Amino acid sequence: IIIGGQFTIYNGIARNRIARLNAGGAFDSTFNIGSGANNTIYTTNIQPDGKIIIGGSFTSYDGITRNCIARLNTDGTLDGTFNPGTGANNTIYTNSIQSDGKIIIGGDFTTYNGIARNRIARLNADGSLDATFNPSTGANNVIKTLALQNDERIIIGGQFTSYNGITKNYTARLNTNGSLDATFNLGSGANSYINTTAIQSDGKIVIGGSLTTYNGTVRNLIAPLNDD
């Protein structure tokens, strides 16, 4: 089990913001992070090859500059083949890995490696920005969560009220190229922030957060949505 967060100790052992546990919860001492991350890790994801994508508000990992995103080898060391350049200019809260190995990131950033990307971007497998994913003006506030559907369209949730200038209250669906999916009609949407999303096996979508209504219907903190 990979865990990330704000901690600096696990079971009395120094571990800065990330650790690996055995299946029973015991500390795995073979996972060697060195000095680890210098600030909070908010999101982790394991690639099919076992390497680990981490995102957060950190600016270094094991003493090496990595702004808000890094990839670790299976043993916890920094993967130097993943080069984000200057990385994100603010916190990354969420990430998801596509079937082709590309990585979707969401958060509070407005640039990635010096290129404008408002709160969402797609990276190539080597950490460089994927220019074919174009969110245009993107989200007008923080993206806290994202999930990939089987067709790799992207459900996003957060604190935003518009995407690319179009009103979308706290949740939206994007096409695979980063454009807004107009077929996803949420009406007035949620009345407050969305912090988590999940896709069920039947394709329906579950959202959770501080909402108390969805499209005018009472739904306290959690709501299931149809695919549309």
Side-chain angles (χ1 to χ4, degrees), residues 117-140:
R117 283 296 183 275
N118 286 321
R119 284 93 186 190
I120 192 164
R122 185 167 66 197
L123 315 182
N124 296 308
D126 63 359
S128 61
L129 186 69
D130 178 6
T132 68
F133 185 85
N134 183 12
S136 191
T137 58
N140 70 334

Side-chain angles (χ1 to χ4, degrees), residues 11-205:
N11 198 23
I13 301 168
R15 275 299 177 271
N16 286 322
R17 285 95 187 184
I18 190 166
R20 185 166 66 193
L21 315 182
N22 295 315
F27 177 71
D28 179 0
S29 60
T30 68
F31 191 70
N32 179 18
I33 66 168
S35 60
N38 70 336
N39 210 334
T40 306
I41 293 173
Y42 285 104
T43 180
T44 64
N45 223 321
I46 301 174
Q47 296 183 164
D49 63 2
K51 291 185 178 183
I52 305 152
I53 301 294
I54 61 172
S57 56
F58 54 88
T59 56
S60 71
Y61 184 88
D62 196 20
I64 299 170
T65 298
R66 284 294 183 273
N67 287 318
C68 304
I69 189 164
R71 184 167 66 197
L72 312 183
N73 295 308
T74 57
D75 63 358
T77 58
L78 186 69
D79 178 4
T81 68
F82 184 84
N83 182 11
T86 57
N89 70 334
N90 210 336
T91 304
I92 293 172
Y93 286 109
T94 182
N95 83 87
S96 193
I97 300 168
Q98 295 185 168
S99 59
D100 62 1
K102 292 184 177 182
I103 302 150
I104 308 286
I105 57 172
D108 197 22
F109 55 89
T110 55
T111 66
Y112 185 87
N113 198 19
I115 300 170
R117 283 296 183 275
N118 286 321
R119 284 93 186 190
I120 192 164
R122 185 167 66 197
L123 315 182
N124 296 308
D126 63 359
S128 61
L129 186 69
D130 178 6
T132 68
F133 185 85
N134 183 12
S136 191
T137 58
N140 70 334
N141 209 330
V142 181
I143 293 175
K144 294 295 291 287
T145 179
L146 60 86
L148 292 179
Q149 296 185 314
N150 287 336
D151 61 5
E152 297 203 325
R153 285 186 292 180
I154 307 152
I155 302 295
I156 61 172
Q159 299 173 3
F160 57 88
T161 55
S162 71
Y163 186 88
N164 199 15
I166 299 170
T167 298
K168 291 294 176 190
N169 287 323
Y170 311 113
T171 191
R173 184 166 65 196
L174 312 183
N175 296 308
T176 57
N177 64 0
S179 62
L180 189 67
D181 180 1
T183 69
F184 191 73
N185 181 16
L186 49 93
S188 60
N191 69 332
S192 193
Y193 301 158
I194 301 300
N195 292 322
T196 187
T197 56
I199 311 295
Q200 296 182 163
S201 58
D202 62 1
K204 291 184 178 180
I205 302 149

